Amino acid sequence: MDVETQAKPAHALAGTIMSGAEIIIQVLADEGVRTIFGYSGGAILPTYDAVFRYNEENAKDGKEPMPLIVPANEQGAGFMAAGYARASGEVGVAIVTSGPGATNSVTPVRDCMADSVPIVVICGQVPRAAIGTDAFQEAPVTAIMGSVAKHVFLVTDPETLESTVRTAFEIARTGRPGPVVVDIPKDVQNWEGPFEGEGVLPIPGYRRRLSAVESNTLGDEQCAEFFSMLKDSQRPLIYAGGGVINGNAADALRAFSKAFGVPGVTTLMGLGGLDTTDPLCLHMLGMHGTAFANYAIEDCDLLIAVAARFDDRVAGDPPNFAPNARHILHFDIDPAEIHKVKHADWHHVGILNDALETLTEYGRRTDFSADYSAWHAEVAELKSTYALNYDRESDLIQPHYVIETMNRITRGEAIITTGVGQHQMWAAQYSDFREPRLWLTSGSMGTMGFGLPAAIGAQFARPDKMVIDVDGDASIRMNLGEFETVTTYDLPIKIMVLNNFGDGMVMQWQRLFFKGRLSASDKSLRKKNFVKTAEADGFQYAKRLDKKEDVPTVLEEFLSFDGPAFLEVIIDTQAHVYPMVGPGLSYRDMLTGDFIPNRYDKAEAQEPDPSELF
Ligand SMILES: Cc1ncc(C[n+]2csc(CCOP(=O)(O)OP(=O)(O)O)c2C)c(N)n1
Ligand SMILES: [Mg+2]
């Protein structure tokens, strides 16, 4: 017996004759998939049948089933898979039919690509002989998904089906994670052949690039350069992005920050990378970041960008971003991000967790120490002087107050999902995140309708956690069909809609930049009764909260309800999200509203250029 065989025993089912559909499900099981999300249809029927039979067999043997969770719409399935992946760090899986099933999945696939979330989407396709004939429920999945996914496979040779599905998982989870789509014609699902139990496709270019990144460890020389820049700095600042979460590097980042006393801000996607309750954490930066985080960016003299990409919502005016930073240091797993927006004086493309551990170890070994006490005092001063604030005297329910109260109850330990808009930003600003993978939001794509299905996926991934969907009245409408999915599976998700009777974020921009013309954004004449809708879908707890004095007691009651719960909160329709850095502007032009101090003369703040209004 050679070493290879000793190391890896043959799969117990190797050599068994299976259908293509059975092979797909067996590979899923081997990849550790615990839950599938998906919607059936003609071209995927053989695979749905194989899931059924797999679970039936497993039940007989007393083994864990692989439940198939059915949404109201395939977009829901894709976002459930995404929520599952974001909350657990595992690959999420959605299985959908051809044509409309596949096209309904395009938005979550693009969303996962933009936020680097690993999912595998398996689409049924018309039989090989019918491809290209405008067959019933045919759509050009490779063409459509090819431009939005990390990778797409169309399986035309059934002999390669098994290795293709396995390779899809490899591509989804390695390097910069992302969505992989596998398009599988119905006759390939019905084909029969031997299950190999091993084997992947040859993807030499990808694996070569990956191994170059993985083997690129930080050497002593690079560490020395890093620490010499840190030594020269009086005001170093970490700017941590979503890659800290996706790369499971939060512990290593916290250890680095603590070991050398380097404070940090995070992006919207990086929330939870640092513990937001830590005195050295300045919470979120950017367009709607805290004023103190943005001022710290202005003041720092060394910027350590950690798996962050200088997105336009962070660096709307790149030349004036971190204007006093003498050096920018950049870690990323994707070489394409280095120098993309800002030139980096030092960079490292590699596995983040390893790099940070190496760096901390080097710093300790070489007894690196620096006195940042003056900077720490400035950070504390910024945090207290420019703290978030809002109209606490108003008789109307302020959304900030609602999130603040929720946060007092959940103490930064709940999983929070959101739609897109003002509610998303208030939830980001006023919530604490003590751990990574608690904050699930559609960051780069900003997809309304994300919150509810993502919460469902997250609750399946983390049954032990409280999952709260903080949603907007317009965002929740987009995937309202998933209300029923929550009660069908009896998920104890808490859905809280901040109702401002409209597309609040759009209205905010219209008030600020379009002279208050609320074109197509006011929903005050709409008839929907959200509470009745929730009740009709089986929610035992469904309430409307419209009195400020009731906020604490109702929130306690809602959050402690044992089962699915829905709460509509009628908020001040005029509440705006502040701070706000207008699109294309620098932090000097940040608007802080009436309740947060501004260190510049407000009258001097520039207006955004109309051509930058996106
Ligand atoms: C699918 C989709 N369509 C349009 C938009 C543009 N958009 C961004 S925020 C927003 C309004 C969201 O309203 P709501 O969900 O009620 O949140 P609010 O801002 O009122 O809190 C719109 C239309 C989007 N982000 N996603
Ligand atoms: Mg709204």
Side-chain angles (χ1 to χ4, degrees), residues 296-461:
I297 286 283
E298 282 195 317
D299 295 352
C300 73
D301 65 0
L302 181 81
L303 187 71
I304 307 171
V306 185
R309 59 191 180 84
F310 301 88
D311 170 69
D312 58 79
R313 259 41 185 170
V314 163
D317 177 9
N320 291 313
F321 180 72
N324 293 308
R326 281 183 285 129
H327 298 292
I328 290 183
L329 298 76
H330 195 177
F331 295 84
D332 213 287
I333 196 160
D334 184 352
E337 293 298 346
I338 308 294
H339 311 312
K340 187 177 90 176
V341 177
K342 282 291 263 189
H343 176 79
D345 304 289
W346 179 102
H347 68 265
H348 176 69
V349 174
I351 301 295
L352 181 61
N353 191 64
D354 299 353
L356 290 170
E357 283 180 354
T358 305
L359 212 56
T360 306
E361 191 272 323
Y362 179 94
R364 288 214 171 102
R365 175 157 49 93
T366 55
D367 286 329
F368 177 85
S369 77
D371 179 10
Y372 298 127
S373 52
W375 177 223
H376 292 174
E378 187 187 331
V379 163
E381 171 67 28
L382 285 173
K383 283 178 82 165
S384 70
T385 308
Y386 302 102
L388 288 169
N389 205 4
Y390 57 91
D391 185 358
R392 293 180 189 268
E393 307 306 318
S394 168
D395 291 337
L396 302 171
I397 299 180
Q398 297 303 310
H400 332 66
Y401 173 53
V402 178
I403 306 289
E404 216 172 50
T405 309
M406 178 187 87
N407 191 51
R408 193 171 41 71
I409 300 169
T410 57
R411 300 184 312 274
E413 287 167 3
I415 293 180
I416 296 173
T417 71
T418 71
V420 172
Q422 292 178 310
H423 66 278
Q424 176 192 27
M425 294 301 135
W426 290 315
Q429 292 177 333
Y430 286 85
S431 299
D432 280 310
F433 300 99
R434 310 223 41 195
E435 299 163 27
R437 302 197 181 281
L438 295 180
W439 169 244
L440 318 187
T441 202
S442 170
S444 180
M445 269 275 277
T447 311
M448 292 168 70
F450 173 89
L452 182 52
I456 294 171
Q459 189 75 83
F460 275 106

Side-chain angles (χ1 to χ4, degrees), residues 128-439:
R128 282 171 292 173
I131 291 178
T133 66
D134 286 337
F136 177 65
Q137 293 193 326
E138 184 184 358
V141 168
T142 43
I144 297 170
M145 295 289 200
S147 41
V148 291
K150 183 173 174 184
H151 200 70
V152 186
F153 292 106
L154 167 63
V155 184
T156 51
D157 174 5
E159 304 272 354
T160 63
L161 174 63
E162 181 183 338
S163 48
T164 305
V165 177
R166 201 170 281 123
T167 307
F169 279 86
E170 177 189 343
I171 296 177
R173 65 163 75 95
T174 53
R176 182 173 183 166
V180 179
V181 179
V182 192
D183 198 25
I184 310 179
K186 190 172 185 177
D187 58 324
V188 173
Q189 297 168 50
N190 283 328
W191 168 87
E192 289 197 348
F195 178 71
E196 306 288 343
E198 62 174 4
V200 284
L201 291 179
I203 41 167
Y206 180 80
R207 291 205 187 97
R208 208 168 29 244
R209 287 195 300 277
L210 193 67
S211 86
V213 168
E214 285 176 351
S215 58
N216 189 29
T217 50
L218 265 185
D220 275 4
E221 210 172 300
Q222 258 188 306
C223 290
E225 255 181 74
F226 180 100
F227 279 103
S228 89
M229 287 191 252
L230 194 58
K231 185 105 210 152
D232 285 347
S233 150
Q234 271 83 54
R235 294 183 303 279
L237 187 68
I238 293 166
Y239 149 49
V244 172
I245 315 270
N246 294 337
N248 298 315
D251 285 346
L253 181 65
R254 290 162 186 221
F256 169 82
S257 161
K258 216 181 201 66
F260 309 111
V262 183
V265 301
T266 77
T267 65
L268 178 77
M269 291 298 296
L271 282 169
L274 295 168
D275 176 348
T276 56
T277 63
D278 186 319
L280 288 186
C281 176
L282 294 112
H283 216 276
M284 179 173 84
L285 86 168
M287 180 177 272
H288 293 298
T290 60
F292 48 83
N294 289 346
Y295 289 149
I297 286 283
E298 282 195 317
D299 295 352
C300 73
D301 65 0
L302 181 81
L303 187 71
I304 307 171
V306 185
R309 59 191 180 84
F310 301 88
D311 170 69
D312 58 79
R313 259 41 185 170
V314 163
D317 177 9
N320 291 313
F321 180 72
N324 293 308
R326 281 183 285 129
H327 298 292
I328 290 183
L329 298 76
H330 195 177
F331 295 84
D332 213 287
I333 196 160
D334 184 352
E337 293 298 346
I338 308 294
H339 311 312
K340 187 177 90 176
V341 177
K342 282 291 263 189
H343 176 79
D345 304 289
W346 179 102
H347 68 265
H348 176 69
V349 174
I351 301 295
L352 181 61
N353 191 64
D354 299 353
L356 290 170
E357 283 180 354
T358 305
L359 212 56
T360 306
E361 191 272 323
Y362 179 94
R364 288 214 171 102
R365 175 157 49 93
T366 55
D367 286 329
F368 177 85
S369 77
D371 179 10
Y372 298 127
S373 52
W375 177 223
H376 292 174
E378 187 187 331
V379 163
E381 171 67 28
L382 285 173
K383 283 178 82 165
S384 70
T385 308
Y386 302 102
L388 288 169
N389 205 4
Y390 57 91
D391 185 358
R392 293 180 189 268
E393 307 306 318
S394 168
D395 291 337
L396 302 171
I397 299 180
Q398 297 303 310
H400 332 66
Y401 173 53
V402 178
I403 306 289
E404 216 172 50
T405 309
M406 178 187 87
N407 191 51
R408 193 171 41 71
I409 300 169
T410 57
R411 300 184 312 274
E413 287 167 3
I415 293 180
I416 296 173
T417 71
T418 71
V420 172
Q422 292 178 310
H423 66 278
Q424 176 192 27
M425 294 301 135
W426 290 315
Q429 292 177 333
Y430 286 85
S431 299
D432 280 310
F433 300 99
R434 310 223 41 195
E435 299 163 27
R437 302 197 181 281
L438 295 180
W439 169 244

Side-chain angles (χ1 to χ4, degrees), residues 20 40 62 70-71 104 135 147 155 174 235 261 362 473 487 515 518 593 597:
S40 66
V70 183
N104 274 353
S147 41
V155 184
T174 53
R235 294 183 303 279
Y362 179 94
D473 53 300
T487 53
K515 301 196 162 52
L518 301 184

